[in-house]
Amino acid sequence: MDVQKAIFDDIKRKQTIIIHRHQRPDPDAVGSQVGLAKILQQAFPEKKIFAVGKQIPGLAWLAEMDEVEDAQFDSALILVLDTANEPRVDDQRWRRGQEVIKIDHHPDDDPFGDLSWVEEDASSTSEMIVDFANRFDLKVSKEAARVLYAGIVGDTGRFLYSDTRPHTMTVTAQLMETGIDAVAVNQMEDEMSLPVARLTAYLYEHLTISASGAAHVILSADTIKSFNLGDAGTASLVPMAGKIDSVKTWAIFEEQDDHSYRVRLRSKGPVISGLAREHNGGGHPLASGAKAKDLDEVKLMIAKLETLTAQDK
């Protein structure tokens, strides 16, 4: 089946289209979501097209979310973007929709939806949205290009990560040619708040690095709260350990209110997605997330990460 065409046919048929993304969004989640909304709004001005989810102050510079009444969902086509599994969909009203379509670039460990278009080789869901627009001759406005560009920049780590393909650069050039202020977007994504900067200093001070290059830091709930991060969160902290030349893999353990741990796993080479799947998680080969129920599981994951890293020659 030509899934892209099937998705486009559904979009043409439906009068109400509501676009979702994952909880705790990053620039790609918001960029692909809002970018697609703007493209479709321009192509189909007679339709009702919304982008929904919790408004994140730290991403307000990128886009604002729409407010949608419950009744609108009952006859809607639901598009869920950049979301690997059902529990992570922001705004659970998506289940009320008449039809659900999944569009994503993460490993498809949790297939859902009536239609699913997943491209694991794509740098980002934002890149996929540009490809979709190009295929069906949909105009990508300057406004849409700005948020899609932000999504690509965010998910490629400023084109640092291995998922940056030649095609990624072609798509990025197309977006820049619309006249967006790419420098301003780059600067916004590179900035961090003073509390996050101070937490970054804490990370470097407390990071443990093994002889093999496996690194980790455990952030207690009290420690995180003491930095008064507000809505900034700890997402911008994740790449920092990788800037150290001796680090090959790293894990950041963040204690939650129930004393379990959110785990962010990253790598410069060794595949860590298998480790993530062993601990209630998953993701890309070099960028994954997981959960640990307590400190004992944290210690087990640290030992496994050390073994995995040491075996990589």
Side-chain angles (χ1 to χ4, degrees):
M1 180 178 65
D2 186 341
V3 68
Q4 290 187 49
K5 186 177 185 303
I7 292 171
F8 189 55
D9 288 343
D10 279 352
I11 288 171
K12 288 190 292 184
R13 278 195 297 267
K14 297 299 292 185
Q15 183 61 29
T16 301
I17 300 167
I18 303 177
I19 308 174
H20 294 247
R21 38 77 176 164
H22 62 74
Q23 300 168 0
R24 295 180 176 177
D26 54 16
D28 185 37
V30 175
S32 60
Q33 174 195 31
V34 175
L36 179 58
K38 292 182 181 300
I39 289 168
L40 296 182
Q41 286 163 355
Q42 183 166 3
F44 305 103
E46 75 283 3
K47 297 181 184 292
K48 297 177 181 177
I49 300 169
F50 307 102
V52 299
K54 182 180 179 181
Q55 182 61 51
I56 306 299
L59 291 176
W61 64 273
L62 192 55
E64 298 284 339
M65 296 294 103
D66 297 316
E67 293 188 10
V68 182
E69 295 181 359
D70 292 352
Q72 297 271 30
F73 286 81
D74 296 335
S75 60
L77 171 64
I78 305 297
L79 303 178
V80 179
L81 272 58
D82 198 46
T83 307
N85 49 61
E86 292 189 37
R88 292 202 69 202
V89 182
D90 198 352
D91 194 332
Q92 288 297 302
R93 292 180 295 172
W94 70 275
R95 298 179 185 276
R96 296 179 56 160
Q98 208 167 68
E99 185 177 359
V100 176
I101 295 173
K102 175 183 181 180
I103 301 176
D104 191 24
H105 74 119
H106 297 95
D108 200 17
D109 295 330
D110 180 16
F112 65 89
D114 301 285
L115 288 172
S116 178
W117 172 31
V118 176
E119 286 193 14
E120 295 182 26
D121 291 337
S123 71
S124 56
T125 305
S126 294
E127 179 182 309
M128 294 172 63
I129 297 305
V130 180
D131 289 339
F132 184 82
N134 289 341
R135 175 171 177 188
F136 298 105
D137 296 320
L138 303 176
K139 180 178 175 57
V140 179
S141 66
K142 181 178 178 180
E143 195 177 21
R146 173 180 169 271
V147 295
L148 291 165
Y149 173 84
I152 293 172
V153 169
D155 255 30
T156 60
R158 288 70 162 167
F159 311 107
L160 178 68
Y161 303 149
S162 60
D163 58 5
T164 304
R165 309 176 291 175
H167 179 67
T168 306
M169 307 310 290
T170 300
V171 167
T172 303
Q174 175 188 338
L175 298 176
M176 294 178 70
E177 285 170 355
T178 65
I180 62 172
D181 190 342
V183 172
V185 173
N186 296 341
Q187 289 174 340
M188 288 299 297
E189 293 209 35
D190 196 50
E191 286 181 354
M192 67 175 69
S193 67
L194 185 57
V196 172
R198 288 173 171 155
L199 182 57
T200 300
Y202 179 93
L203 176 143
Y204 284 133
E205 184 68 23
H206 293 82
L207 191 70
T208 298
I209 307 173
S210 73
S212 70
H216 72 272
V217 66
I218 301 172
L219 302 174
S220 71
D222 287 342
T223 295
I224 295 172
K225 289 175 184 176
S226 72
F227 283 91
N228 296 314
L229 297 175
D231 291 302
T234 59
S236 60
L237 196 73
V238 180
M240 297 304 176
K243 294 181 181 295
I244 300 173
D245 58 2
S246 60
V247 170
K248 292 171 62 178
T249 62
W250 63 102
I252 298 176
F253 299 91
E254 302 175 24
E255 186 182 16
Q256 308 298 294
D257 289 338
D258 64 356
H259 303 299
S260 67
Y261 289 82
R262 181 183 185 185
V263 188
R264 302 178 194 257
L265 293 164
R266 297 294 185 270
S267 173
K268 296 178 183 176
V271 174
I272 43 81
S273 52
L275 173 58
R277 285 193 293 271
E278 291 174 11
H279 294 272
N280 199 26
H284 298 291
L286 306 183
S288 294
K291 296 178 182 178
K293 64 180 182 296
D294 52 28
L295 270 175
D296 286 339
E297 188 169 0
V298 167
K299 293 174 182 177
L300 177 61
M301 291 187 70
I302 292 170
K304 287 182 177 181
L305 184 65
E306 165 62 26
T307 299
L308 184 156
T309 307
Q311 290 173 343
D312 184 75
K313 302 297 183 183

